[in-house]
Amino acid sequence: MRGRRGPLAAVLALGLVLGTGSWVYVATRDDGDAVRASASEEPGLLDRLGDAARGLVGSDGGGRAETVPVPAGLEVSQPAEPGRKWPAQKRVREVAAKRTANGKVYQLSDGRLQAEMSAVPVNYRDAKGTFQPIDTSVKPTGRAGYVQGNATNTFTSLFGDETDELVRFEKDGRSIELGLPGAARKVAPKVSGSTVTYPVDGVELVYEVSSTELKEKIV
Protein backbone atom coordinates (compact mmCIF):
# COMPACT_ATOMS: atom_id res chain seq x y z
CA MET A 1 0.00 0.00 0.00
CA ARG A 2 1.24 3.44 -0.88
CA GLY A 3 0.27 7.07 -0.30
CA ARG A 4 -1.39 7.85 2.98
CA ARG A 5 -1.24 4.32 4.23
CA GLY A 6 2.49 4.14 4.89
CA PRO A 7 4.37 0.87 5.07
CA LEU A 8 2.93 -2.05 6.98
CA ALA A 9 5.04 -5.04 7.89
CA ALA A 10 3.62 -8.28 9.25
CA VAL A 11 5.71 -11.28 10.16
CA LEU A 12 4.31 -14.70 10.95
CA ALA A 13 6.83 -17.40 11.84
CA LEU A 14 5.98 -21.05 11.99
CA GLY A 15 8.41 -23.89 12.51
CA LEU A 16 7.10 -27.06 10.90
CA VAL A 17 8.76 -30.40 11.47
CA LEU A 18 7.28 -33.35 9.61
CA GLY A 19 7.58 -36.74 11.23
CA THR A 20 5.73 -39.99 11.09
CA GLY A 21 2.28 -38.69 10.29
CA SER A 22 2.51 -35.75 12.69
CA TRP A 23 3.37 -32.07 12.79
CA VAL A 24 5.30 -30.04 15.31
CA TYR A 25 4.75 -26.32 15.94
CA VAL A 26 7.80 -24.50 17.35
CA ALA A 27 7.54 -20.98 18.74
CA THR A 28 10.11 -18.85 20.54
CA ARG A 29 9.80 -15.65 22.56
CA ASP A 30 12.35 -13.44 24.27
CA ASP A 31 10.21 -12.29 27.21
CA GLY A 32 10.84 -15.36 29.36
CA ASP A 33 7.60 -17.17 28.49
CA ALA A 34 7.29 -20.00 26.00
CA VAL A 35 4.53 -19.94 23.44
CA ARG A 36 2.30 -22.92 24.20
CA ALA A 37 -0.53 -22.36 21.72
CA SER A 38 -0.73 -24.78 18.82
CA ALA A 39 -2.11 -23.81 15.44
CA SER A 40 -5.42 -25.50 16.25
CA GLU A 41 -5.96 -23.10 19.17
CA GLU A 42 -6.03 -20.12 16.80
CA PRO A 43 -8.91 -21.07 14.48
CA GLY A 44 -9.73 -17.46 13.63
CA LEU A 45 -6.22 -16.21 12.89
CA LEU A 46 -6.67 -15.88 9.13
CA ASP A 47 -10.10 -14.34 9.61
CA ARG A 48 -8.68 -11.71 11.94
CA LEU A 49 -5.84 -10.93 9.55
CA GLY A 50 -8.37 -10.60 6.72
CA ASP A 51 -10.57 -8.25 8.79
CA ALA A 52 -7.54 -6.13 9.63
CA ALA A 53 -6.56 -5.95 5.96
CA ARG A 54 -10.08 -4.89 4.91
CA GLY A 55 -10.07 -2.24 7.62
CA LEU A 56 -6.79 -0.82 6.33
CA VAL A 57 -8.20 -0.23 2.85
CA GLY A 58 -11.57 1.11 4.08
CA SER A 59 -12.61 4.74 4.54
CA ASP A 60 -14.92 6.85 6.66
CA GLY A 61 -17.38 7.34 3.78
CA GLY A 62 -15.97 10.65 2.68
CA GLY A 63 -13.09 9.34 0.69
CA ARG A 64 -10.61 9.95 3.49
CA ALA A 65 -8.36 7.17 4.66
CA GLU A 66 -8.75 5.85 8.19
CA THR A 67 -5.89 5.36 10.62
CA VAL A 68 -6.26 1.84 11.97
CA PRO A 69 -4.27 0.64 14.98
CA VAL A 70 -2.14 -2.42 14.37
CA PRO A 71 -2.28 -5.04 17.20
CA ALA A 72 1.46 -4.61 17.76
CA GLY A 73 0.76 -1.07 19.01
CA LEU A 74 1.85 0.86 15.88
CA GLU A 75 -0.30 3.20 13.82
CA VAL A 76 -0.41 2.48 10.10
CA SER A 77 1.32 5.78 9.41
CA GLN A 78 4.31 4.77 11.52
CA PRO A 79 7.21 2.94 9.89
CA ALA A 80 7.85 -0.57 11.13
CA GLU A 81 10.73 -1.03 13.51
CA PRO A 82 13.84 -2.53 11.96
CA GLY A 83 14.02 -6.31 12.18
CA ARG A 84 16.26 -7.93 14.75
CA LYS A 85 18.56 -10.76 13.79
CA TRP A 86 18.54 -13.43 16.46
CA PRO A 87 21.64 -15.50 17.14
CA ALA A 88 21.66 -19.16 16.18
CA GLN A 89 19.35 -21.15 18.46
CA LYS A 90 21.01 -23.74 20.68
CA ARG A 91 19.03 -25.76 23.19
CA VAL A 92 20.73 -25.94 26.58
CA ARG A 93 18.23 -28.11 28.45
CA GLU A 94 14.60 -29.14 28.63
CA VAL A 95 12.50 -27.39 31.28
CA ALA A 96 10.79 -30.52 32.63
CA ALA A 97 8.40 -28.56 34.86
CA LYS A 98 6.75 -27.04 31.78
CA ARG A 99 5.95 -30.34 30.05
CA THR A 100 2.43 -31.01 28.81
CA ALA A 101 0.95 -34.10 27.18
CA ASN A 102 1.68 -32.70 23.72
CA GLY A 103 4.53 -30.29 24.37
CA LYS A 104 8.04 -29.71 25.64
CA VAL A 105 9.83 -26.47 26.55
CA TYR A 106 13.55 -25.87 26.10
CA GLN A 107 15.87 -23.16 27.43
CA LEU A 108 18.10 -21.66 24.75
CA SER A 109 21.69 -20.56 25.18
CA ASP A 110 20.69 -16.86 25.14
CA GLY A 111 18.11 -17.30 27.94
CA ARG A 112 15.00 -17.50 25.79
CA LEU A 113 12.50 -20.35 26.02
CA GLN A 114 11.36 -22.42 23.06
CA ALA A 115 8.16 -24.47 23.04
CA GLU A 116 7.75 -27.51 20.80
CA MET A 117 4.16 -28.69 20.29
CA SER A 118 3.13 -31.99 18.69
CA ALA A 119 -0.15 -33.21 17.20
CA VAL A 120 0.32 -36.52 19.04
CA PRO A 121 1.20 -37.11 22.71
CA VAL A 122 4.90 -36.93 23.59
CA ASN A 123 4.58 -37.23 27.40
CA TYR A 124 2.55 -39.41 29.76
CA ARG A 125 1.69 -39.06 33.46
CA ASP A 126 3.43 -41.52 35.76
CA ALA A 127 1.99 -42.94 38.99
CA LYS A 128 2.81 -39.66 40.79
CA GLY A 129 1.06 -37.54 38.16
CA THR A 130 4.31 -36.17 36.72
CA PHE A 131 4.78 -35.91 32.97
CA GLN A 132 7.47 -38.24 31.62
CA PRO A 133 8.67 -38.74 28.02
CA ILE A 134 6.81 -41.49 26.18
CA ASP A 135 8.83 -44.59 25.33
CA THR A 136 6.90 -47.18 23.30
CA SER A 137 9.57 -49.91 23.56
CA VAL A 138 8.28 -53.30 24.68
CA LYS A 139 10.35 -54.93 27.43
CA PRO A 140 10.18 -57.97 29.75
CA THR A 141 7.74 -57.45 32.62
CA GLY A 142 9.19 -60.06 35.00
CA ARG A 143 5.72 -61.40 35.72
CA ALA A 144 3.98 -64.66 34.88
CA GLY A 145 1.41 -64.74 32.12
CA TYR A 146 2.00 -61.40 30.43
CA VAL A 147 5.76 -61.65 30.01
CA GLN A 148 6.32 -58.60 27.77
CA GLY A 149 4.84 -55.13 28.00
CA ASN A 150 4.99 -51.37 27.79
CA ALA A 151 3.79 -49.02 30.54
CA THR A 152 5.68 -45.82 29.65
CA ASN A 153 2.88 -44.58 27.45
CA THR A 154 -0.58 -43.00 27.61
CA PHE A 155 -1.87 -46.57 28.00
CA THR A 156 -0.42 -49.96 29.01
CA SER A 157 0.16 -52.83 26.57
CA LEU A 158 0.84 -56.37 27.84
CA PHE A 159 1.72 -59.46 25.82
CA GLY A 160 1.28 -63.04 27.03
CA ASP A 161 2.96 -66.36 26.32
CA GLU A 162 -0.21 -68.43 25.83
CA THR A 163 -2.71 -68.30 22.96
CA ASP A 164 -5.78 -67.70 25.14
CA GLU A 165 -4.23 -64.50 26.60
CA LEU A 166 -2.14 -62.89 23.90
CA VAL A 167 -2.74 -59.19 24.50
CA ARG A 168 -4.04 -56.99 27.32
CA PHE A 169 -4.79 -53.27 26.79
CA GLU A 170 -5.18 -51.05 29.90
CA LYS A 171 -6.22 -47.41 30.22
CA ASP A 172 -7.89 -45.32 32.95
CA GLY A 173 -8.57 -48.34 35.17
CA ARG A 174 -10.22 -50.39 32.42
CA SER A 175 -8.85 -53.20 30.28
CA ILE A 176 -9.58 -55.50 27.37
CA GLU A 177 -7.94 -58.84 26.62
CA LEU A 178 -7.53 -60.65 23.30
CA GLY A 179 -6.81 -64.33 22.71
CA LEU A 180 -7.44 -67.25 20.38
CA PRO A 181 -10.27 -69.77 20.90
CA GLY A 182 -9.64 -73.34 21.91
CA ALA A 183 -7.28 -74.88 24.41
CA ALA A 184 -4.42 -72.66 25.55
CA ARG A 185 -1.06 -73.30 23.88
CA LYS A 186 2.33 -71.91 24.65
CA VAL A 187 3.57 -69.26 22.23
CA ALA A 188 6.66 -67.06 22.42
CA PRO A 189 6.21 -63.36 21.58
CA LYS A 190 9.01 -62.02 19.38
CA VAL A 191 9.87 -58.43 20.35
CA SER A 192 11.61 -55.85 18.19
CA GLY A 193 11.51 -52.31 19.60
CA SER A 194 7.82 -51.35 19.74
CA THR A 195 6.61 -54.37 17.72
CA VAL A 196 5.53 -57.79 19.02
CA THR A 197 4.97 -60.74 16.68
CA TYR A 198 3.25 -64.08 17.36
CA PRO A 199 3.69 -66.93 14.84
CA VAL A 200 0.41 -68.85 15.17
CA ASP A 201 -1.23 -71.41 12.88
CA GLY A 202 0.73 -70.47 9.77
CA VAL A 203 0.24 -66.71 10.11
CA GLU A 204 1.81 -63.91 12.12
CA LEU A 205 -0.13 -61.69 14.52
CA VAL A 206 1.76 -58.40 14.68
CA TYR A 207 1.13 -55.74 17.34
CA GLU A 208 2.62 -52.25 17.01
CA VAL A 209 2.71 -49.86 19.98
CA SER A 210 2.58 -46.10 19.31
CA SER A 211 1.73 -43.10 21.50
CA THR A 212 -1.86 -43.12 20.21
CA GLU A 213 -2.80 -46.75 19.61
CA LEU A 214 -2.04 -50.46 19.82
CA LYS A 215 -2.42 -51.66 16.23
CA GLU A 216 -2.95 -55.27 15.17
CA LYS A 217 -1.99 -56.73 11.79
CA ILE A 218 -2.48 -60.26 10.48
CA VAL A 219 0.30 -61.26 8.08
Side-chain angles (χ1 to χ4, degrees):
M1 295 180 289
R2 302 179 181 277
R4 300 181 184 179
R5 299 303 179 184
L8 173 65
V11 179
L12 180 63
L14 290 178
L16 188 63
V17 179
L18 295 180
T20 309
S22 64
W23 54 262
V24 175
Y25 173 76
V26 179
T28 306
R29 286 171 53 173
D30 63 334
D31 58 2
D33 292 325
V35 178
R36 286 179 172 272
S38 68
S40 62
E41 293 174 336
E42 290 287 342
L45 177 59
L46 295 180
D47 291 337
R48 290 197 294 276
L49 290 176
D51 292 341
R54 284 189 289 272
L56 291 175
V57 297
S59 68
D60 60 2
R64 292 176 298 156
E66 299 176 352
T67 299
V68 182
V70 177
L74 299 175
E75 299 292 336
V76 176
S77 58
Q78 292 178 261
E81 295 183 1
R84 178 178 178 183
K85 184 177 181 180
W86 290 100
Q89 299 178 5
K90 182 179 179 181
R91 292 176 176 177
V92 176
R93 66 182 182 91
E94 182 193 355
V95 184
K98 292 184 175 293
R99 287 174 182 163
T100 63
N102 290 66
K104 298 181 179 182
V105 176
Y106 298 91
Q107 181 179 338
L108 303 181
S109 55
D110 59 4
R112 291 180 295 157
L113 296 178
Q114 184 182 76
E116 182 177 282
M117 307 299 293
S118 173
V120 297
V122 293
N123 297 310
Y124 75 99
R125 288 191 184 275
D126 61 16
K128 297 180 179 180
T130 302
F131 278 114
Q132 303 290 352
I134 289 176
D135 178 5
T136 58
S137 300
V138 177
K139 301 176 182 179
T141 62
R143 55 185 279 189
Y146 290 104
V147 294
Q148 301 282 345
N150 171 265
T152 54
N153 202 350
T154 55
F155 54 88
T156 297
S157 306
L158 297 171
F159 304 93
D161 58 359
E162 293 190 353
T163 55
D164 62 336
E165 293 183 340
L166 290 178
V167 181
R168 180 181 173 92
F169 180 96
E170 300 178 351
K171 183 175 175 63
D172 298 332
R174 298 186 177 186
S175 65
I176 183 171
E177 296 177 353
L178 301 176
L180 299 178
R185 293 168 288 163
K186 282 290 184 178
V187 60
K190 297 180 180 179
V191 178
S192 177
S194 303
T195 302
V196 178
T197 303
Y198 289 100
V200 179
D201 297 336
V203 301
E204 289 185 338
L205 299 179
V206 182
Y207 295 91
E208 298 175 347
V209 182
S210 73
S211 64
T212 58
E213 64 182 359
L214 175 60
K215 185 176 183 178
E216 179 190 64
K217 296 191 298 184
I218 302 177
V219 182

